[in-house]
Amino acid sequence: MTDAPARDVSGLLPPKARRKPRIGLVAGGLGTYWPQFPDLLPQLQESARYVSERFRGMDAEVTDVGFISDAQEGAAAGERLRQADCDLIVLFLTTYLTSSMVLPIAQRANTPVLVIDLQPTEKMDHASFDTGAWLAYCGQCPVPEVGNVFRRAGIPFRSVSGWLRQESAWQRIERWINAAHVRAALRHARHGLMGHVYPGMLDVSTDLTLLPVTFGSHVEVLEFDDLRVRVEQVTDAETNERMSLAREIFTLDDTVNDEDFAWGARVSVGLDRLVEDFDLDSLAYYHRGLDGEQHERLGAGMILGASLLTARGIPATGEYELRTTVAQLATQVVGAGGSFCEIQALNFEDGVVEMGHDGPAHLAVSARDPLLRGLGVYHGKRGWGVSVEFDVQPGPVTLLGLGQDRDGGLAFVASEGTVVPGPLLAIGNTTSRVDFGRDPGEWVDEWSATGIGHHWSLSVGHRAGDYRAAASLLCIDYREV
């Protein structure tokens, strides 16, 4: 592979347009104070306007229902937010208010709630403040009250406390907005599942009812014939155009067979039509086949098209790995990429876990121009087709998998590490050397004990906080190694 940095190919691969997360916003304080301290409400409303502007600057649709001063107004705000079908509701406690003002909002909207309390500045000026000025700083006072009432009502409690222009507090708030991106994506996702489970891989088998029940997602069960008929309709001109696109994005290794390359390009065009026709947000597939029959050739020709789909934000994953494809979608929508991954080997001398996978890869995590390599007998495959190979860019990464427990419950499982440079296998895989800051054998033991399957998403950056928050909004367990 070349030593040059990876090219920016985003202009060649337009991302899939998705419904933005919907954020409900309501600010409030106790109306009893307004006639007593005439300057207080205007100050708090100015803070509420600043908060609303910050939220509108985020990549989300914001429904701001304004400022509430009593329980009746709280109930009316809750009804408006219920109708808005939000992915997250943010309650801005500007000063003291009673829990009766905000409980109806959480109950009626039936949506995860984040409580924020952001006082005007870092501290009060004790020498000059009177009671009215102090009240603008006591938004923290009702936070334990709301937390207590939410617990008694069976409502998960989340909060961020800080001051109005404190960027570290806004970073914590933004983590919840990222989590809302995940909740929005999974609530409305249409997951394609094509072919059959890889024989013997009991860990990847998934109860298809779990996704609609847990997240609200839809699983579209597809046949390889759904792909076959679309591939048969692809013209030579479309195939050549796709080959030209691939040459702009990939470096072609000398091992690439022209016939296999053309077939992969033809399948890629057919895959795009399949995804468009069924309005898919992800695709997991596998077909074993025998002796080069047509369905086996379709399966062997998937890697190019699946990688291009993944780069567009539509994870397309082999080995029928539905749960890992869901994890890849989660890492994708927070802007962290997400490549299909498993353990390859341990290097005890360097203290790293070598991991990666053959097949579809996410180009966003590539350190260099991705390589198309012709497949010999790699990784149990039958020896034809093309595969994507690249090195994962050095720096912080986070693994995210979707585990399934004995009771059927799902869980996000995450681990933060650092990709470090070093020797890698050149076998048509996406590969990386991940340093978890500990003995690699001990890491494998703890990671395997979480209930993770043997595949997961490798995403760029240290994003465990985002994934922990997403698990909270999705009401599933979260485990971190």
Side-chain angles (χ1 to χ4, degrees):
M1 298 184 65
T2 67
D3 292 328
R7 290 165 290 182
D8 181 4
V9 299
S10 56
L12 300 173
L13 300 168
K16 177 182 174 67
R18 287 195 172 87
R19 171 189 181 275
K20 290 185 177 182
R22 295 176 180 175
I23 308 300
L25 182 61
V26 56
L30 188 61
T32 303
Y33 299 143
W34 312 153
Q36 298 173 338
F37 308 100
D39 295 334
L40 178 60
L41 180 58
Q43 180 182 3
L44 300 181
Q45 289 174 326
E46 179 61 30
S47 292
R49 281 191 290 272
Y50 176 80
V51 168
S52 183
E53 289 171 3
R54 288 291 299 250
F55 275 98
R56 292 187 188 284
M58 300 178 185
D59 188 22
E61 296 178 8
V62 179
T63 299
D64 186 348
V65 298
F67 203 100
I68 62 172
S69 300
D70 55 38
Q72 291 92 335
E73 291 180 357
E79 181 61 21
R80 289 180 61 192
L81 292 173
R82 182 189 67 80
Q83 295 174 3
D85 186 29
C86 298
D87 297 293
L88 176 67
I89 291 173
V90 180
L91 302 176
F92 177 25
L93 311 187
T94 65
T95 184
Y96 178 77
L97 50 66
T98 63
S99 50
S100 65
M101 294 170 57
V102 297
L103 179 61
I105 296 173
Q107 288 178 317
R108 297 187 183 194
N110 193 29
T111 297
V113 173
L114 171 67
V115 171
I116 64 172
D117 52 283
L118 304 172
Q119 66 186 37
T121 64
E122 298 97 319
K123 63 178 182 179
M124 293 187 294
D125 182 355
H126 297 80
S128 63
F129 271 32
D130 59 13
T131 302
W134 156 64
L135 284 172
Y137 282 74
C138 73
Q140 291 82 7
C141 179
V143 176
E145 176 180 339
V146 173
N148 171 275
V149 172
F150 274 24
R151 178 178 286 268
R152 291 164 70 176
I155 299 169
F157 177 75
R158 312 163 185 89
S159 68
V160 172
S161 300
W163 57 279
L164 196 61
R165 288 170 170 81
Q166 182 184 5
E167 288 307 312
S168 59
W170 280 102
Q171 289 171 6
R172 291 157 58 202
I173 292 170
E174 191 169 6
R175 185 175 296 163
W176 290 105
I177 303 304
N178 289 337
H181 275 270
V182 176
R183 183 171 188 259
L186 297 191
R187 281 179 70 202
H188 299 277
R190 291 176 54 83
H191 303 288
L193 194 59
M194 183 171 69
H196 61 83
V197 70
Y198 193 109
M201 288 186 182
L202 302 182
D203 62 321
V204 307
S205 178
T206 302
D207 177 358
L208 302 189
T209 307
L210 272 181
L211 297 188
V213 168
T214 305
F215 304 134
S217 306
H218 171 78
V219 179
E220 186 73 22
V221 177
L222 303 168
E223 305 284 353
F224 257 82
D225 287 322
D226 291 315
L227 176 60
R228 175 184 58 80
V229 295
R230 288 165 175 82
V231 170
E232 289 172 350
Q233 295 167 0
V234 176
T235 66
D236 291 343
E238 291 170 325
T239 299
N240 291 331
E241 183 179 356
R242 185 54 52 94
M243 292 171 74
S244 295
L245 173 65
R247 289 189 184 97
E248 290 191 65
I249 295 172
F250 299 92
T251 297
L252 269 64
D253 188 73
D254 292 340
T255 57
V256 174
N257 175 281
D258 289 343
E259 182 180 350
D260 287 344
F261 182 29
W263 176 246
R266 189 177 295 272
V267 173
S268 175
V269 176
L271 271 174
D272 283 1
R273 290 179 179 168
L274 181 78
V275 166
E276 183 177 355
D277 290 346
F278 287 96
D279 191 24
L280 300 181
D281 294 281
S282 75
L283 176 66
Y285 66 89
Y286 178 74
H287 182 81
R288 180 171 57 185
L290 185 66
D291 294 336
E293 53 85 25
Q294 189 168 23
H295 295 96
E296 185 181 12
R297 292 203 70 237
L298 283 169
M302 292 280 288
I303 293 173
L304 172 60
S307 293
L308 294 177
L309 283 172
T310 302
R312 289 175 47 208
I314 305 169
T317 300
E319 299 185 5
Y320 213 64
E321 250 293 15
L322 176 60
R323 294 202 315 279
T324 298
T325 311
V326 172
Q328 288 179 271
L329 181 57
T331 60
Q332 169 68 41
V333 297
V334 299
S339 213
F340 194 45
C341 212
E342 68 184 4
I343 298 169
Q344 293 179 326
L346 306 182
N347 185 324
F348 289 95
E349 183 175 298
D350 295 344
V352 299
V353 180
E354 298 183 29
M355 60 179 64
H357 207 283
D358 70 304
H362 200 307
L363 307 185
V365 306
S366 179
R368 303 178 179 88
D369 286 346
L371 183 76
L372 275 186
R373 183 185 292 279
L375 281 177
V377 184
Y378 289 133
H379 206 67
K381 304 304 183 287
R382 292 189 180 277
W384 58 74
V386 292
S387 188
V388 173
E389 174 181 309
F390 58 71
D391 306 346
V392 175
Q393 58 188 262
V397 293
T398 306
L399 312 182
L400 179 69
L402 187 62
Q404 183 174 341
D405 295 336
R406 182 176 183 178
D407 64 359
L410 299 173
F412 271 173
V413 185
S415 186
E416 294 182 340
T418 303
V419 170
V420 296
L424 299 169
L425 291 173
I427 58 171
N429 284 14
T430 301
T431 56
S432 58
R433 293 157 42 93
V434 187
D435 184 352
F436 293 100
R438 59 189 298 188
D439 179 271
E442 293 179 358
W443 180 87
V444 170
D445 291 340
E446 189 172 344
W447 180 245
S448 302
T450 62
I452 189 75
H454 79 283
H455 299 128
W456 45 86
S457 176
L458 184 148
S459 63
V460 176
H462 281 165
R463 308 300 291 260
D466 291 333
Y467 305 148
R468 183 186 305 110
S472 174
L473 297 192
L474 294 166
C475 298
I476 62 174
D477 285 348
Y478 175 80
R479 295 158 199 164
E480 186 173 341
V481 174

